[in-house]
Amino acid sequence: MLPEVMMPTFLLRNISMLARTEAQAPNYLFKTIQRKLYNRSTEHDSPEPCGIASMMKLPIQSSSKGLDACFVGVPLDIGVSNRTGARFGPRQIRVESVLVHEVNHGTGAAPFDSLQVADIGDVPINLYHLPKACEGIRAAYSKIVENGCKPLSMGGDHTITYPILQAIKGKYGPVGLVHVDAHADMSDSMLGEKIYHGSTFRRCAEEGLIDCKRVAQIGLRGSGHGLADYTLGRQMGFRCVQIEECWFKSLVPLMKEVQAQMGNGPVYISFDIDGVDPGFAPGTGTPEIAGLTSIQALEIIRGCRGLNIVGTDLVEVSPPYDKAGTTAILAANLLFEMLCVLPRVKYR
């Protein structure tokens, strides 16, 4: 995490006079900074190539204290079965996010009108021992969510969702899951290892981290060694939506059904970028042809509006395979869309 920045006493006092009480001063300053940053599109005082590349040029702080939501990077890719590089995903998503502004023209969502949001940096990662890395992620997220802050995570490979959901369960109990992916990630093991990016949701189901009757997996496709990944999920109660059910159509009707399935309980969104067709998102480790379009990806996330979302992630962006940055651009926009559907977001 990034170090805390000390606030000069004289500045605190001046802000306190405006905020009326010293207790309100840090919050007042934070809101003032946020408004300043998000006026850049009209004031032209912060061109996209300039400044520190935090997520969407948001304020940076070292913890989730005082926040309603936060962006956090998890630069892990030692759980992959094919191409590496997702450890660089959080950094590149932040770089491309400078093109994402504060109001969603498509939906009217203006999350910064009602939510305190910041970029809290990256979780420290042990890149030499996957189980220890997962322990560190779980511990870090337990602190992030303890005050009710909703994390929007940037991976990193899909292994990260397992320890994140361990921490989420500690706060909210088992959650419903909207899982967008080309793969079900329901394998038991790889070369004898129980933890890797292809076993994430099997481990989550076995440990009771997810409410299996409230799981929707969307975009499943490709070839495999058998059909067990799909049949096992369905036996557990998952709704498994294969890509053939998504071709040539809007997914708005599907998401109405998913809304009903999720109900009023806590929900987590996990979006593997390989759920999108590699024509839109080539920079990923295990690409599969004939996937979702970028428009359908928006429909899925926007279709989650109204759910009791307690956290999200966007994983498997691999910049070494993303020569024009299009995958990271898509990822940055999808993360903004996730922010826009969080509870309490105001719409203009």
Side-chain angles (χ1 to χ4, degrees), residues 177-181 184 186 210-220 229-242 245-246 249 251-262:
L177 176 70
V178 178
H179 171 207
V180 183
D181 205 324
M186 288 289 286
I210 52 179
D211 178 354
C212 292
K213 300 298 183 183
R214 295 194 303 123
V215 173
Q217 297 184 308
I218 304 171
L220 304 178
D229 286 358
Y230 298 177
T231 55
L232 178 60
R234 286 173 174 142
Q235 288 169 1
M236 290 181 171
F238 295 11
R239 178 171 184 180
C240 299
V241 182
Q242 294 179 236
E245 299 176 57
C246 303
K249 66 178 69 171
L251 299 187
V252 171
L254 169 65
M255 292 312 297
K256 290 180 179 177
E257 296 174 4
V258 171
Q259 284 257 357
Q261 180 188 5
M262 295 298 135

Side-chain angles (χ1 to χ4, degrees), residues 86-109:
R87 68 180 62 184
F88 303 113
R91 182 176 299 174
Q92 194 61 34
I93 292 169
R94 287 183 172 108
V95 169
E96 301 298 351
S97 74
V98 298
L99 287 172
V100 184
H101 300 289
E102 68 269 28
V103 177
N104 189 321
H105 286 167
T107 66

Side-chain angles (χ1 to χ4, degrees), residues 193-324:
E193 298 297 330
K194 292 283 192 175
I195 301 174
Y196 81 110
H197 75 160
S199 66
T200 295
F201 296 106
R202 185 157 179 168
R203 300 287 88 83
C204 289
E206 289 173 348
E207 293 187 19
L209 309 182
I210 52 179
D211 178 354
C212 292
K213 300 298 183 183
R214 295 194 303 123
V215 173
Q217 297 184 308
I218 304 171
L220 304 178
R221 64 188 189 277
S223 57
H225 302 293
L227 298 176
D229 286 358
Y230 298 177
T231 55
L232 178 60
R234 286 173 174 142
Q235 288 169 1
M236 290 181 171
F238 295 11
R239 178 171 184 180
C240 299
V241 182
Q242 294 179 236
I243 194 63
E244 289 80 5
E245 299 176 57
C246 303
W247 286 346
F248 313 117
K249 66 178 69 171
S250 167
L251 299 187
V252 171
L254 169 65
M255 292 312 297
K256 290 180 179 177
E257 296 174 4
V258 171
Q259 284 257 357
Q261 180 188 5
M262 295 298 135
N264 298 322
V267 175
Y268 188 87
I269 301 172
S270 186
F271 199 117
D272 187 328
I273 202 67
D274 73 23
V276 179
D277 188 87
F280 298 96
T284 191
T286 49
E288 301 282 1
I289 66 165
L292 299 166
T293 68
S294 57
I295 294 172
Q296 289 175 315
L298 290 184
E299 288 182 322
I300 291 170
I301 297 174
R302 291 178 181 181
C304 292
R305 179 183 175 187
L307 295 178
N308 181 18
I309 299 166
V310 297
T312 77
D313 65 52
L314 190 294
V315 298
E316 300 283 0
V317 172
S318 180
Y321 298 94
D322 191 28
K323 301 306 180 185

Side-chain angles (χ1 to χ4, degrees), residues 153-168:
S153 305
M154 300 172 278
D157 74 59
H158 221 154
T159 310
I160 72 169
T161 307
Y162 170 46
I164 291 173
L165 286 177
Q166 288 179 320
I168 292 282

Side-chain angles (χ1 to χ4, degrees), residues 76-80 125-137 157 159-160 163 193-197 199:
L76 175 82
D77 66 358
I78 59 174
V80 301
I125 295 294
N126 184 334
L127 291 174
Y128 303 98
H129 194 286
L130 187 54
K132 287 183 179 179
C134 288
E135 291 172 9
I137 294 168
D157 74 59
T159 310
I160 72 169
E193 298 297 330
K194 292 283 192 175
I195 301 174
Y196 81 110
H197 75 160
S199 66

